Amino acid sequence: MRVFLILFSALLINNYVFIRFLGICPFLGVSKKLDTAVGMGFAATFVLVMSSVITWFVNKLLVVAGLEFLRTVSFILVIATFVQFVEFVIRKNSPSLYEALGIYLPLITTNCIILGVAILNAQAKYSLLEAIFHALGAGLGFLLALVIFAGIRERLELYELPKPFEGLPIALILASIISMAFMGFQGLIKL
Amino acid sequence: MLIAYSALLMAILGFAFGTFLAYSAKKFEVKEDPRVEMVKAALPGVNCGACGYAGCEAFAKAVVAGKVTPDMCTPGRASGVAEKIKEILKQNAPS
């Protein structure tokens, strides 16, 4: 039961984009079209789950060796490896998605959600299963945020906006409004 | 001792992940136009974005596809990069 609480906590109540404000850069950068948003969301979810499994074991190793201060640098090593791996796979299997994601795909490496989840897993001393569900929730939350946002931005293209609000300004205002809506989930689950 | 342990641990982790990446790079290799590689080698490789593309690789692809002229690279202008690119494209033109 607890794993599902962790999953929904990361997915809705503590949504990493709208409540904790992590990973804003790819959130604003790749949310112009729905299909690239979905591709980015799944790529980030895959990296999240894989890297949190590996970082769980790496963290165990660090604790045994008494070298916890190496946490950040070794986690970044793991994350960078998996981002590179995802890049190979997407480049091979879907060149159009590779083109559309562009610079944001390697930027998953520096996405704060992924390092944040890995470090929170280590700090909260989650078991492996809990860590996986936490990462899955965070990834699906990121996907949800991207899909909601891309859907709205695609429709927004059709409207004529006042000149100063075109492009990023209206996107930032929108993000804050959706973020306020997500505040409504606050306090639903106590962990 | 602590420093030796940390260095050893990071070396082991780095080696393990490096091996994994080298293996997957071979497995998921993508055949590319060889001219892109040659143009990329001729570019200064600073990824400055002055040409309007995200990096040198994107610019090399666009040049080979004929979307831009070879003289858009600002950092390479003094060392004659545009001439080198023109040479490459002329010598390796698809017949």
Side-chain angles (χ1 to χ4, degrees):
Chain A
M1 221 29 231
R2 191 175 143 80
V3 287
F4 287 103
L5 285 185
I6 289 173
L7 179 88
F8 283 104
S9 160
L11 177 57
L12 287 175
I13 292 116
N14 290 317
N15 186 298
Y16 275 81
V17 175
F18 290 131
I19 304 296
R20 298 199 210 214
F21 305 119
L22 295 176
I24 303 291
C25 165
F27 169 65
L28 290 172
V30 205
S31 58
K32 283 198 194 81
K33 267 164 65 193
L34 201 56
D35 35 346
T36 56
V38 172
M40 181 69 167
F42 279 117
T45 309
F46 175 75
V47 173
L48 260 167
V49 173
M50 287 311 285
S51 67
S52 62
V53 171
I54 304 292
T55 52
W56 190 84
F57 286 108
V58 169
N59 187 50
K60 274 276 174 295
L61 193 70
L62 290 178
V63 170
V64 169
L67 298 169
E68 284 98 336
F69 62 91
L70 285 177
R71 207 177 255 164
T72 311
V73 63
S74 51
F75 284 7
I76 288 174
L77 190 69
V78 174
I79 293 164
T81 305
F82 277 101
V83 171
Q84 196 66 50
F85 179 67
V86 166
E87 199 175 336
F88 288 147
V89 173
I90 291 185
R91 196 171 177 187
K92 172 97 178 170
N93 294 330
S94 171
S96 58
L97 182 63
Y98 181 76
E99 282 298 309
L101 290 177
I103 191 71
Y104 289 100
L105 189 56
L107 273 183
I108 300 181
T109 316
T110 47
N111 188 333
C112 348
I113 298 178
I114 297 174
L115 187 61
V117 166
I119 286 180
L120 283 176
N121 280 340
Q123 278 175 353
K125 297 196 171 63
Y126 282 152
S127 70
L128 182 57
L129 193 66
E130 286 171 341
I132 291 172
F133 273 85
H134 185 208
L136 195 64
L140 293 178
F142 184 61
L143 179 68
L144 178 75
L146 276 176
V147 167
I148 291 177
F149 207 55
I152 297 176
R153 274 180 92 172
E154 264 188 355
R155 279 162 187 73
L156 212 60
E157 292 275 294
L158 304 174
Y159 294 101
E160 216 164 285
L161 291 166
K163 199 86 188 152
F165 287 111
E166 265 173 27
L168 266 187
I170 192 71
L172 287 169
I173 294 169
L174 257 177
S176 64
I177 294 172
I178 305 173
S179 167
M180 277 195 272
F182 267 75
M183 291 280 175
F185 290 119
Q186 223 44 237
L188 266 181
I189 294 178
K190 270 272 188 298
L191 271 178
Chain B
M1 249 359 247
L2 194 64
I3 296 172
Y5 276 143
S6 332
L8 189 69
L9 191 80
M10 290 312 288
I12 292 170
L13 281 178
F15 184 76
F17 290 125
T19 318
F20 170 68
L21 271 188
Y23 171 73
S24 50
K26 267 273 165 292
K27 190 142 197 244
F28 293 98
E29 202 177 13
V30 180
K31 289 273 175 291
E32 239 183 23
D33 195 333
R35 288 180 299 166
V36 172
E37 278 302 310
M38 291 164 84
V39 171
K40 211 165 85 183
L43 289 168
V46 288
N47 290 314
C48 62
C51 51
Y53 288 89
C56 290
E57 187 170 354
F59 176 66
K61 266 186 200 152
V63 168
V64 170
K67 277 187 227 154
V68 283
T69 50
D71 55 352
M72 290 299 289
C73 184
T74 314
R77 201 161 279 164
S79 51
V81 163
E83 283 70 35
K84 272 190 228 159
I85 295 175
K86 271 179 206 148
E87 196 65 22
I88 290 169
L89 291 184
K90 208 188 289 169
Q91 280 180 0
N92 301 289
S95 48

